[in-house]
């Protein structure tokens, strides 16, 4: 499991994370929701060691991320950042193959190639495997980056806004594929996600953040209630249950 103990972080003396204490499960989907500036991406970056916390400790399966061996950590935890820079002359296959680097060190073997092909198939990217990244739509590139992270084959997968640039059809497909990865591959997938209705539909557990703190936590049934959503987003909402799923209505 991911254990977060008293984690705080400041930028220019402004608190971004304030004494976060949470335990994230070793399987299933955990969604982190909240308004812009709540600290969601910062928390994900601290968990994945992309940022160093000012205080506190994060452990992943008892590995302290602040001083764990990089190679060992990369075989346990993988992360997709919100902003990803790419080289246009990379093909989709090339990009996804980077997920195998902790194992292959650039010398791909047959097992690595099987993982690459499986990840491409999982995200429906096999027809695009030889296309260059600059020839893809934003949504296709986003799927390729997610495939790269899944190809790393870690127990814990951290995804910052995986639905970026995806239309409705591909957003649904992505969430179904992540749900399948959690269920069939028994991975723990932690998402930062803006669409609270996707979080409601596909998550096992939700953390709701505001002003650098986790203010609510629980199952979708516990978090997706008007008084909670209104407090988090400072917006009147109604919550309706459709086919067993709680949907927040906030467009008016």
């Amino acid at each position: 499991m991911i254990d977060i103990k008293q984690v705080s972080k400041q930028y220019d003396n402004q608190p971004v994370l304030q004494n976060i204490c949470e335990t994230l499960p070793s399987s299933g989907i955990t969604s982190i929701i909240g308004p812009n500036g709540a600290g969601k991406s910062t928390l994900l970056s601290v968990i994945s060691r992309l940022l160093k916390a000012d205080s506190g400790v994060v452990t992943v399966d008892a590995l302290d991320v602040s001083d764990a061996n990089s190679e060992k950590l990369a075989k346990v935890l993988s992360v997709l950042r919100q902003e990803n820079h790419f080289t246009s002359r990379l093909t989709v296959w090339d990009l996804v193959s980077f997920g195998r680097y902790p194992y292959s060190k650039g010398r791909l073997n047959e097992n690595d190639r099987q993982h690459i092909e499986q990840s491409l198939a999982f995200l429906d990217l096999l027809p695009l495997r030889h296309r260059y990244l600059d020839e893809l739509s934003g949504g296709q590139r986003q799927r390729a980056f997610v495939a790269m992270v899944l190809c790393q084959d870690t127990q814990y997968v951290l995804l910052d806004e995986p639905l970026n640039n995806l239309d409705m059809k591909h957003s649904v497909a992505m969430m179904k594929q992540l749900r399948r990865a959690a269920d069939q591959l028994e991975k723990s997938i932690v998402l930062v996600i803006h669409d609270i209705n996707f979080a409601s539909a596909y998550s096992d557990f939700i953390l709701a953040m505001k002003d650098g703190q986790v203010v609510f936590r629980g199952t979708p049934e516990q978090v997706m209630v008007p008084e909670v959503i209104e407090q988090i987003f400072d917006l009147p909402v109604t919550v309706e249950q459709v086919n067993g799923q709680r949907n927040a209505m906030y467009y008016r």
Side-chain angles (χ1 to χ4, degrees):
M1 62 185 178
I2 298 175
D3 198 16
I4 306 163
K5 296 180 180 178
Q6 298 179 319
V7 166
S8 295
K9 179 72 178 175
Q10 292 187 351
Y11 294 133
D12 299 324
N13 295 319
Q14 295 296 316
V16 181
L17 298 176
Q18 302 185 62
N19 198 36
I20 304 291
C21 296
E22 297 293 334
T23 298
L24 307 184
S26 57
S27 62
I29 293 180
T30 299
S31 288
I32 305 175
I33 66 171
N36 293 340
K40 305 182 299 296
S41 294
T42 301
L43 178 59
L44 209 70
S45 293
V46 168
I47 294 171
S48 60
R49 202 166 70 180
L50 295 174
L51 283 177
K52 181 176 175 57
D54 295 332
S55 61
V57 176
V58 176
T59 58
V60 179
D61 280 355
L63 287 174
D64 185 336
V65 301
S66 65
D67 60 10
N69 175 273
S70 295
E71 182 176 326
K72 190 172 184 180
L73 186 62
K75 292 179 180 180
V76 176
L77 181 148
S78 54
V79 60
L80 177 68
R81 303 175 66 173
Q82 191 175 100
E83 300 294 334
N84 295 290
H85 302 287
F86 65 91
T87 302
S88 59
R89 289 294 87 186
L90 283 177
T91 66
V92 171
W93 200 95
D94 293 333
L95 177 68
V96 176
S97 73
F98 288 157
R100 299 306 300 165
Y101 189 81
Y103 309 90
S104 70
K105 300 297 186 290
R107 301 183 183 90
L108 297 173
N109 59 29
E110 186 57 33
N111 181 56
D112 296 319
R113 293 186 179 90
Q114 288 180 8
H115 274 86
I116 295 167
E117 294 294 315
Q118 289 167 0
S119 298
L120 290 168
F122 201 83
L123 273 298
D124 297 324
L125 289 167
L126 286 174
L128 302 175
R129 69 173 83 180
H130 300 306
R131 294 270 294 274
Y132 289 103
L133 296 181
D134 61 350
E135 297 173 343
L136 303 180
S137 69
Q140 289 169 332
R141 274 199 301 272
Q142 183 72 356
R143 286 158 54 207
F145 277 109
V146 173
M148 175 187 68
V149 173
L150 290 179
C151 193
Q152 198 170 326
D153 194 23
T154 58
Q155 180 63 43
Y156 301 93
V157 180
L158 312 184
L159 302 173
D160 196 351
E161 288 295 334
L163 305 186
N164 271 357
N165 299 310
L166 300 185
D167 58 23
M168 288 188 293
K169 175 183 176 181
H170 287 101
S171 292
V172 170
M174 175 67 75
M175 293 305 296
K176 285 183 176 179
Q177 287 156 338
L178 294 177
R179 184 71 259 176
R180 186 157 57 97
D183 293 339
Q184 296 181 8
L185 307 179
E186 298 183 341
K187 295 185 180 298
S188 175
I189 299 176
V190 183
L191 312 174
V192 168
I193 188 167
H194 271 110
D195 193 316
I196 59 175
N197 290 325
F198 272 121
S200 175
Y202 292 97
S203 303
D204 300 293
F205 191 72
I206 295 176
L207 295 181
M209 295 187 66
K210 186 176 184 179
D211 298 328
Q213 298 176 307
V214 176
V215 291
F216 292 101
R217 62 189 60 74
T219 64
E221 292 75 20
Q222 293 169 322
V223 175
M224 291 293 291
V225 294
E227 54 269 29
V228 170
I229 302 303
E230 289 176 3
Q231 183 173 335
I232 297 166
F233 293 98
D234 297 319
L235 181 74
V237 300
T238 58
V239 175
E240 298 183 0
Q241 188 150 333
V242 180
N243 297 326
Q245 174 191 326
R246 292 174 183 263
N247 295 300
M249 313 300 291
Y250 54 86
Y251 301 107
R252 294 185 179 181

